[in-house]
Amino acid sequence: MPNETPIRVAVVGAAGRMGQEVLKALTPQEGFQIVAAVDRHEIGRPARELVGPNGPDLVIEDRLGPALDRSPADVIVDFSHHSVAPTHAETAAKRGASFVIGCTGLGNDDIAMLRGTCTEFKVSGMYVPNFAIGAVLMMKFAELAARWLPDAEIIELHHDRKEDAPSGTAMLTAEKIQAARTSAPRKLPKPFFKVEGARGGLAHEVPVHSIRLPGLLAHQEVIFGGPGETLTIRHDSLDRAGFMNGVRLAARQVRSLDGLVIGLDKILF
Ligand code: NAD
């Protein structure tokens, strides 16, 4: 790999918690060259001051377009904010770069815009709500279980600074469960709510409960119930470094994909 031409990457949201992990994870030894680090905070600050001596020798800059004009990239990796990710993808695509979006919280309109960007500028892109390989396996196992156990609920637990709820992973898991069911879930008696929302929210006919607490990172349980048995599938992200195998995989493979691909499972299985 080190003898191959490195994949040139611009990191967006580079000063954030995930962005800093990416600055450390996409190393020359792994076949990458980080050519720009963009954020709206920490502008002008050397990336190595943020992430240590193994980070790229770059300063944080504030605008993606000019950064790409100066230092062309093959791929942008975006961990900034869902409200700006589609615009960043377009900025990259206009310059022939593929995109890997890790921000969660993108809606249907955003996805449609990303698809349009891929078509218009003939680039490929990925939107990956969860880069943890264990979490992707959890969704795969949940899909398998839903064929036989249609009654399921999701509990997702995240750190208290997470803005969107339910998490992108919970939404995707619910969607996969609904699609995999071969029979309808049981109709429950109409609940009498002593506290509004006590039964969570319904995503794709799967109740989802979102917990936000300091001390947590990213965790999810999918609980299936059948007559006389339950099955619990649980995944825990314990450190942000745990997302980086998936980020490297996506950044390596995105350019060989066709159009917009959603989810790491499409390149794992
Ligand atoms: P964070 O707040 O620590 O970092 C976000 C960074 O983006 C900040 O430095 C902020 O200044 C920057 N930013 C915001 N708007 C910007 C803009 N318009 N232009 C440039 N930079 C901008 O958040 P985080 O914990 O690093 O998470 C970032 C995103 O990644 C969130 O959406 C989170 O849910 C998501 N996330 C995804 C995964 C995954 O596996 N896909 C894992 C963890 C977090």
Side-chain angles (χ1 to χ4, degrees):
M1 188 186 311
N3 293 332
E4 289 173 13
T5 311
I7 300 168
R8 299 167 301 171
V9 180
V11 180
V12 191
R17 288 162 293 185
M18 288 297 286
Q20 289 191 33
E21 275 312 317
V22 177
L23 293 181
K24 290 186 281 184
L26 300 189
T27 60
Q29 294 76 14
E30 291 283 353
F32 297 98
Q33 181 194 2
I34 298 182
V35 295
V38 178
D39 204 291
R40 62 177 182 179
H41 290 132
E42 306 285 2
I43 297 151
R45 188 150 172 213
R48 286 180 178 168
E49 256 181 48
L50 289 171
V51 302
N54 295 330
D57 187 11
L58 295 168
V59 294
I60 307 290
E61 54 194 309
D62 62 345
R63 292 183 56 220
L64 178 61
L68 292 175
D69 290 338
R70 186 205 60 240
S71 307
D74 302 306
V75 181
I76 69 156
V77 173
D78 190 350
F79 277 103
S80 60
H81 195 265
H82 63 85
S83 59
V84 283
T87 311
H88 291 154
E90 190 179 47
T91 303
K94 272 183 187 161
R95 292 160 176 85
S98 293
F99 57 86
V100 173
I101 297 177
C103 323
T104 60
L106 271 69
N108 290 340
D109 290 351
D110 300 316
I111 304 285
M113 181 171 165
L114 294 177
R115 278 196 205 292
T117 295
C118 288
T119 309
E120 185 178 350
F121 299 103
K122 297 185 173 49
V123 300
S124 49
M126 288 193 80
Y127 169 42
V128 182
N130 201 322
F131 283 103
I133 287 168
V136 181
L137 288 169
M138 168 192 63
M139 286 187 263
K140 192 79 179 163
F141 300 153
E143 223 175 337
L144 185 61
R147 286 173 58 189
W148 306 104
L149 298 167
D151 295 301
E153 303 213 3
I154 297 172
I155 305 172
E156 59 96 341
L157 312 91
H158 283 82
H159 58 88
D160 56 331
R161 289 179 58 194
K162 183 170 178 60
E163 286 179 1
D164 56 317
S167 69
T169 301
M171 294 298 290
L172 195 56
T173 311
E175 194 178 337
K176 285 173 185 291
I177 287 173
Q178 188 189 40
R181 280 170 170 152
T182 53
S183 57
R186 275 174 319 133
K187 289 266 175 282
L188 295 175
K190 194 172 183 317
F192 157 58
F193 283 117
K194 285 180 271 181
V195 175
E196 198 58 46
R199 289 286 296 121
L202 210 57
H204 305 283
E205 288 189 82
V206 180
V208 182
H209 312 266
S210 297
I211 289 167
R212 298 289 175 267
L213 282 173
L216 294 170
L217 181 54
H219 319 259
Q220 180 167 296
E221 266 184 34
V222 190
I223 308 174
F224 293 87
E229 62 175 346
T230 65
L231 168 68
T232 302
I233 305 168
R234 181 177 171 110
H235 175 259
D236 297 278
S237 283
L238 304 172
D239 187 298
R240 288 187 175 80
F243 297 109
M244 293 303 128
N245 268 341
V247 172
R248 283 190 287 259
L249 197 64
R252 278 193 194 112
Q253 298 207 9
V254 63
R255 288 175 304 161
S256 64
L257 302 174
D258 194 16
L260 180 71
V261 168
I262 300 175
L264 201 65
D265 53 322
K266 308 289 189 314
I267 55 174
L268 278 182
F269 308 122

